[in-house]
Each structure stands twice: as C-alpha cells, then as structure tokens.
Amino acid sequence: MVSLSFVIVALAAFAVPMILTRFKISAIPASVGEVVIGILLGQSALNIVHTSDLLSNFSTFGLLVVMFLSGMEIDFSLFAKNSTNLSPLEAKQKANEEKVITPLFVALITYGLVILGAFLVSLSFYYLGLFDNIALATIMFMTISLAIVVSVLKENEVLNRPFGQTVLLVAILGQVVPMIALTVYSSLIAGKGGSLWLIAILVITAAFMFRNFRTFFDFFERINKATTQVDVRLAFFILLALVWVAEHVGAQNILGAFIAGIVFKLLQPAEDTERRLDAIGYGFFVPFFFIMTGVGLNLPGLLASKKTVILIPLILLAFVLAKLPAFLGLKLRFSSGNSLAASFLSSTTLALILAALTIAKGLEVVTEQQAGAFTVAAILTYLVGPVLFGRIFRVSKENPKKTQVHFIGVNLLTVSTAQQLDDSLYEVNLYTDVQKSFKTFNSEANVHAIDSVDADYLIKNDVLDTDILVLGYSANPEVNYNLALRAKEYGIKRVIMRFDNVNPEIDQDHESHLQEAGVEFFTTFDLGVSSMRAMVESPSMLEMLTSSDARLYEVTIQNANFDGLEIRNLPLVDKITISRIFRNHKAIAPHGNTRIMLGDHMVFSGNKEFAQAIRNSLGKENE
C-alpha cells in the first residue's frame, strides 16, 4: 500500500525544481535541493516522512538508475577518434591534431595526480586521527560527479572543445575507477576476495548483451509503438539483468547498473530514447534516492558531536585539496586559470559518495557520525565546485570557425555562387586547371591555378581538405562524376556536383552510384524548373531569391540549450521567417509552438545580419 510518506516524497520531488526556479536559485543542482528538502521532511526537522520498505526499495532503485544514466553520459566518440577506422581525410586531420597533446593523454596524467592527491589527503586524515580507513577514504576522495561536470560544461558551451573533452574524460575516470575500486574493496573486506574473478562473469554478460542487441536500433523504428516503447523496455531489462548478475557474483549492484548504462550507450540509442530515459529516471526514480538520503540524515545528532562539526569542513577541504593536483596535469595544455577552475569543478561529488557510504555502513567500517559528515561535506561540494568554476573559468576568445568551401571548376556559375556566399561564414577557394579561366576570373574571386584535376594530385595538394566540395567542372562532366565518388571515399562530408550533359544512357547508372555514395547533385535545367515553379506557387519567392537583403539560410540545431524550445521563444525569431524544419529526413511545417530538437535542419529567410546571429547561436556545438 502507498503510505502518506510516499505521497509526500513524490510531492517534494515535484516541488524542488519549482522552488529553485521560483527563487532563481540556479547555482544549486536539483539533486542538492532534493537532499535538503529530505532533511527538512525527515528526522532532522519536521519528521513527517518515515522510512518504509516501499520507500527504501524506491530509493535503492533510484540509486541504480542514476548509476545507469551516469554510464550513459560517457561520450564514446572521444575514444572512437583514436581508432584506425577513419577516412583518409579524418586520419589526416587527426595526425594534425596529435601534434599537440591529446585530451586523452592529459586526462590520464591528470587523474593519476588526483589519485595521488586523494591518497595523500587520506594519509593525513589517518595520522591526524580523523579517519582511520585509508583505502575507503582514498576511494571517496578520488570520486568525481560526472553528471555535474557534464551539466556545467554544457552550460558554459565548452563540452565539445578540447578543454571540455579533457575535463569530461577526467570525470569519466573519476566515476569508473572508484566504482571498480569500491567493488574490489568491499569484496576484500567482506572476505570474498577469492571470488573476485567472478566479476569477469559480469563483463562477459555485458559483452553478450551488447553482441545480441547491437542491431536492435536498426529495426527499432519498424516495431516500436506508443503503447510499447520497446527501447525503454530494453534499457530497463539490461539494467535489471546486469544488476542481478553483479549481486550474484559478489560485485556491487551499482557497478552492474553503471556497466548496463555503458552497454546501452554502445548500442547507440536515438537521442529521443535517451531523453525519455532521462525523463523517467530524473523525473521519477532518482529524486527518491536523493530525498530519502536527506530523510535518513539526523543533523541534530551529528551536530551534537564536536568531532563531527569539526570533521565536516575538514572533509570538504579534503575533497577540494585531493583534486588540486589535477591543476598540474591540465596545465600541460590549458591556461592556469582554466586548469584551476577545472580542478575545483572536479571536487564535486555526491551520488557515488552516498553509494560508497551505503556499502561502508553495511560492512560496518564507518560510524553514523562519519557517514553523516561525509554526506554533508559531499552536498557542500555541489555548491563550492560549480561556483568556483564559474568565477575562475574564462572562455578562450576564438574566432568562429568558418566553413571551408572548395569549388573545382571556374566558370560564370561557380564564380557567381562563390561571390554570393557570406564571407563571415564561409572561407571559399576556387580551383581550375584551365589557364584561360584563371586569367578571366582570378580578379573576381579567390581563384587558384592547378596543374591537374586528378584526384591524387588534388589530395596531395590539400585541395580536397575541405568541409564542402562543389564540383562545377563544365569542360568534361565525367570529371565531376569521378571526383565526386573519390571525394566521398576520401571523407568529405558534403560533396555537391553539377550533373549536366552526361550521356542519357548512363544517367540512371550514374545517379544510383551518386545516391549510394551520398553525393548531392543537380542539373542547371532542374534548378531552373524548380525556381520557376516556386515563383508560380509562391509569389514572394522571386524577391527572396534575388534580394540582396533577404536570402534563404539553413542551420543545423547543435546547441543543447535550445533543445525542446518552442519556436516562438527563439532569439530574434521576429526578425526571420522559418519555412521548413527537416527532422529525420522528413519535412515539418513549423508553427509558433513547434519544439525544435537537436539535429533538426531549419530553413529560414531573413536579413543577413540577423541570419548570421541565428546561425551562430543555434549551430554552436556544446554537447
């Protein structure tokens, strides 16, 4: 039966974000607010919520879900960049990037220093008589809150930069390494060290699940229904199965939950799937864990002990000092100020500390007073870390990266197109092996003379090192066709090809090859017909296409701050006209209440100045 305490906790979970928003308390994470309200509702203050089996089970499951979602926070693309499965262009770009110290190398050095700092702080606590369990203290002092680090980096729009990637990798290590160490520690203390090898069964089970479900999302769209939500069911099955295996091989259930999150992330779920899992987890289960943690604290009892009162600020200081050596590792690549800011941010920790204390109390290696002091200090890190980071961190001033556009073939069409591209958004170069064309147009645009349009020559001379390649070679259309296919093999993301005057008998064969390769192609005849039809159907189209003030623009939504925002609330929306949104290759006719999503392609028209601001804002990567 549902008790009144259960209903009150559910109400508190609903109220916390409302209260934080109402009083504009943005510096405090919701999880901290949930622990605080739990303290107020529990034995420390009002004493109107009492622990029951139902609440305990929900609290435990909330912990498992938060560990599962933490595993899903890992961005495996950071590691994929080090794989050998790269296109020639990506390999070339990676080789250039490796001329500087890589984020992974810096992160490994940095976290090694964190472990050293945690050990030294724990040793100090031992000799001062504050905490006599060096191993457990070291594990707790080297933990890092992955969720908070990701959240803060996203808010500062640096998660996708080398700095953000490095700090993220440090946080991942600060989640994974302590989790494994805690499992080993608890097994040894419980006298089950001889069965540690059984943990391999957990890894084997995870690998088995990944292998058997890795093609799931390939056919997911064909079988999913609103009443089935098969992807969510799969997620919870993997979570429960690996938690069960972990508990039966002597590992901690939180390790099973974390590995389950990693497995599901490796299955490459759709962004919508991840959002729904976040909604279920953070919207319902996770708050029970944090609120019940607060309910279980007895602050009056803790504060009645002078030793505990002294211990809380000392543990808080220890959390910060243990992470300060990270400064030396981050300083290998980043500025002193930002390195120090990241060190403070890494001091944030809570969920894993609470998990560790739950295990430690079960093993009877910590007292209630010590566990309470660690909990209160961990809560305070959520306030100290992000605040100090925000005060010290400074975004390095970088010029917005322009999109590289290379044209092969110089003629009236390509030169005129190049002249019309916004030079604040695009860096344009045109190439031709025809001397007459070079002499005719080199004063009109950024035209370069080349000796050949052979693909090997172009690669050798960096002509194909570009974001967008436009093939407008008109002397021999077959050159466009062959170069287009070779360019896609080389790894260019967008290849646009002029497709005129090809032998009609081979047109269909050429088209199928181009479509399979992902080449965008056009004919001048089709462009003319499409434009004329648009003018007939939309009288304002002619003005839009020919006006120097109002043009068509497209932006891919990459800024996570706008994910789920209604169009009516977009910045400068009154200065532009949004005509279409393309989502998963399907066109959406937008309205004021249409919500945009990450990955949407938005087509709009407007003044050049406002259009650029919109593109800079919505297209900025921060995830």
Side-chain angles (χ1 to χ4, degrees):
M1 295 293 292
V2 174
S3 64
L4 178 59
S5 291
F6 190 94
V7 175
I8 294 173
V9 171
L11 175 61
F14 166 74
V16 167
M18 310 290 287
I19 294 171
L20 294 177
T21 302
R22 172 65 179 82
F23 293 100
K24 299 179 181 180
I25 310 175
S26 58
I28 299 179
S31 53
V32 173
E34 288 158 2
V35 175
V36 171
I37 203 169
I39 292 172
L40 294 175
L41 297 174
Q43 56 186 316
S44 297
L46 301 176
N47 198 28
I48 59 175
V49 171
H50 306 283
T51 302
S52 64
D53 290 341
L54 180 62
L55 279 172
S56 294
N57 290 335
F58 264 76
S59 176
T60 300
F61 194 68
L63 171 61
L64 297 178
V65 171
V66 80
M67 289 295 114
F68 175 80
L69 295 175
S70 294
M72 287 186 60
E73 291 283 3
I74 299 177
D75 182 6
F76 288 96
S77 65
L78 297 178
F79 303 98
K81 291 177 182 177
N82 295 315
S83 69
T84 56
N85 188 25
L86 300 174
S87 69
L89 179 56
E90 290 172 328
K92 191 172 183 179
Q93 292 170 339
K94 179 175 178 291
N96 292 331
E97 290 174 359
E98 289 181 346
K99 292 178 182 178
V100 297
I101 303 175
T102 63
L104 181 59
F105 176 79
V106 176
L108 290 172
I109 296 295
T110 299
Y111 193 68
L113 292 169
V114 167
I115 294 175
L116 177 61
F119 175 73
L120 293 176
V121 169
S122 301
L123 208 59
S124 301
F125 265 53
Y126 175 79
Y127 283 113
L128 291 172
L130 299 173
F131 194 75
D132 58 3
N133 196 318
I134 297 175
L136 180 60
T138 300
I139 292 171
M140 290 195 289
F141 285 138
M142 68 187 190
T143 61
I144 300 174
S145 174
L146 179 60
I148 289 297
V149 169
V150 170
S151 174
V152 172
L153 293 176
K154 278 185 178 181
E155 289 174 4
N156 287 272
E157 300 183 349
V158 293
L159 189 55
N160 217 41
R161 298 184 182 183
F163 175 80
Q165 291 179 358
T166 304
V167 178
L168 174 63
L169 285 170
V170 173
I172 290 171
L173 292 171
Q175 188 96 359
V176 175
V177 176
M179 187 101 54
I180 296 172
L182 185 61
T183 297
V184 174
Y185 169 82
S186 60
S187 297
L188 293 175
I189 294 298
K192 299 178 181 179
S195 61
L196 272 174
W197 65 271
L198 291 174
I199 295 176
I201 297 176
L202 176 62
V203 178
I204 293 170
T205 305
F208 175 80
M209 286 190 167
F210 170 70
R211 180 175 180 180
N212 283 273
F213 290 111
R214 62 183 176 182
T215 60
F216 172 79
F217 285 97
D218 291 340
F219 65 91
F220 163 68
E221 290 297 335
R222 299 198 302 269
I223 64 173
N224 193 45
K225 297 179 181 178
T227 55
T228 57
Q229 303 294 331
V230 184
D231 52 341
V232 175
R233 297 185 186 194
L234 175 64
F236 279 99
F237 164 70
I238 292 174
L239 167 62
L240 294 172
L242 289 181
V243 166
W244 183 85
V245 172
E247 291 178 341
H248 283 75
V249 299
Q252 291 300 323
N253 53 15
I254 58 172
L255 180 62
F258 188 74
I259 292 176
I262 292 175
V263 170
F264 196 74
K265 182 70 171 184
L266 287 171
L267 295 177
Q268 298 180 337
E271 291 180 357
D272 183 57
T273 298
E274 294 188 31
R275 276 193 291 268
R276 280 183 284 126
L277 287 173
D278 281 345
I280 294 171
Y282 293 115
F284 185 65
F285 290 110
V286 175
F288 277 87
F289 167 63
F290 287 113
I291 292 173
M292 291 308 297
T293 296
V295 169
L297 280 176
N298 183 3
L299 283 185
L302 289 174
L303 298 179
S305 167
K306 292 182 179 180
K307 183 177 180 180
T308 304
V309 173
I310 295 172
L311 199 56
I312 290 173
L314 289 177
I315 293 175
L316 174 60
L317 181 63
F319 277 127
V320 176
L321 291 178
K323 308 301 169 45
L324 279 184
F327 168 82
L328 299 175
L330 295 167
K331 187 68 174 61
L332 292 173
R333 180 165 180 182
F334 307 108
S335 68
S336 298
N338 286 352
S339 298
L340 183 62
S343 300
F344 285 132
L345 179 61
S346 298
S347 68
T348 55
T349 181
L350 182 58
L352 198 52
I353 291 294
L354 297 178
L357 291 172
T358 300
I359 294 167
K361 285 190 288 186
L363 296 171
E364 298 182 350
V365 293
V366 295
T367 65
E368 286 293 336
Q369 287 74 22
Q370 290 171 332
F374 268 99
T375 300
V376 174
I379 293 171
L380 293 176
T381 65
Y382 266 41
L383 304 177
V384 173
V387 169
L388 290 177
F389 178 87
R391 289 186 176 277
I392 300 172
F393 177 73
R394 295 293 179 269
V395 178
S396 57
K397 294 183 179 179
E398 301 176 359
N399 293 324
K401 185 180 181 297
K402 296 182 181 181
T403 301
Q404 299 281 333
V405 184
H406 289 184
F407 289 79
I408 307 294
V410 174
N411 48 57
L412 188 60
L413 177 63
T414 57
V415 171
S416 299
T417 302
Q419 290 174 334
Q420 292 292 317
L421 290 175
D422 189 337
D423 58 10
S424 66
L425 300 174
Y426 301 97
E427 186 172 322
V428 181
N429 290 277
L430 298 96
Y431 299 88
T432 181
D433 62 340
V434 180
Q435 284 298 316
K436 182 179 179 181
S437 298
F438 174 74
K439 293 178 180 178
T440 302
F441 294 107
N442 70 336
S443 61
E444 303 293 326
N446 191 20
V447 180
H448 306 272
I450 54 178
D451 297 331
S452 169
V453 289
D454 176 71
D456 292 329
Y457 171 87
L458 297 176
I459 292 172
K460 182 179 179 181
N461 289 275
D462 301 332
V463 177
L464 296 190
D465 293 0
T466 183
D467 300 309
I468 301 174
L469 179 67
V470 182
L471 298 169
Y473 199 80
S474 58
N476 184 354
E478 282 293 318
V479 171
N480 290 339
Y481 172 75
N482 293 324
L483 272 179
L485 297 180
R486 186 67 183 278
K488 292 300 291 186
E489 290 177 3
Y490 185 59
I492 300 177
K493 292 182 179 179
R494 291 192 64 198
V495 178
I496 303 171
M497 172 192 148
R498 181 176 178 176
F499 193 48
D500 285 335
N501 302 320
V502 179
N503 186 335
E505 295 181 1
I506 62 174
D507 268 4
Q508 187 172 358
D509 188 47
H510 276 9
E511 287 185 13
S512 63
H513 288 161
L514 293 171
Q515 288 172 346
E516 290 174 5
V519 176
E520 304 166 50
F521 55 90
F522 67 93
T523 68
T524 51
F525 175 76
D526 287 340
L527 285 180
V529 171
S530 298
S531 299
M532 185 169 291
R533 185 187 69 241
M535 293 176 205
V536 172
E537 295 174 347
S538 304
S540 61
M541 184 61 68
L542 178 61
E543 180 180 354
M544 186 182 298
L545 293 175
T546 58
S547 170
S548 60
D549 293 327
R551 300 179 184 174
L552 280 176
Y553 296 89
E554 179 179 342
V555 62
T556 301
I557 310 300
Q558 300 183 96
N559 192 332
N561 292 329
F562 296 100
D563 185 30
L565 193 69
E566 292 185 352
I567 284 179
R568 63 164 63 93
N569 295 323
L570 287 176
L572 301 177
V573 70
D574 56 327
K575 306 295 183 182
I576 62 171
T577 300
I578 301 174
S579 54
R580 280 291 184 273
I581 291 176
F582 291 90
R583 181 178 300 159
N584 298 325
H585 306 291
K586 296 180 181 178
I588 299 173
H591 303 284
N593 58 354
T594 300
R595 295 183 183 275
I596 61 175
M597 297 172 59
L598 287 176
D600 283 353
H601 296 269
M602 190 172 76
V603 179
F604 64 95
S605 61
N607 179 275
K608 172 182 174 181
E609 176 186 352
F610 296 122
Q612 181 177 341
I614 286 284
R615 294 184 66 171
N616 289 342
S617 180
L618 300 183
K620 182 189 298 182
E621 293 186 3
N622 65 348
E623 58 155 282

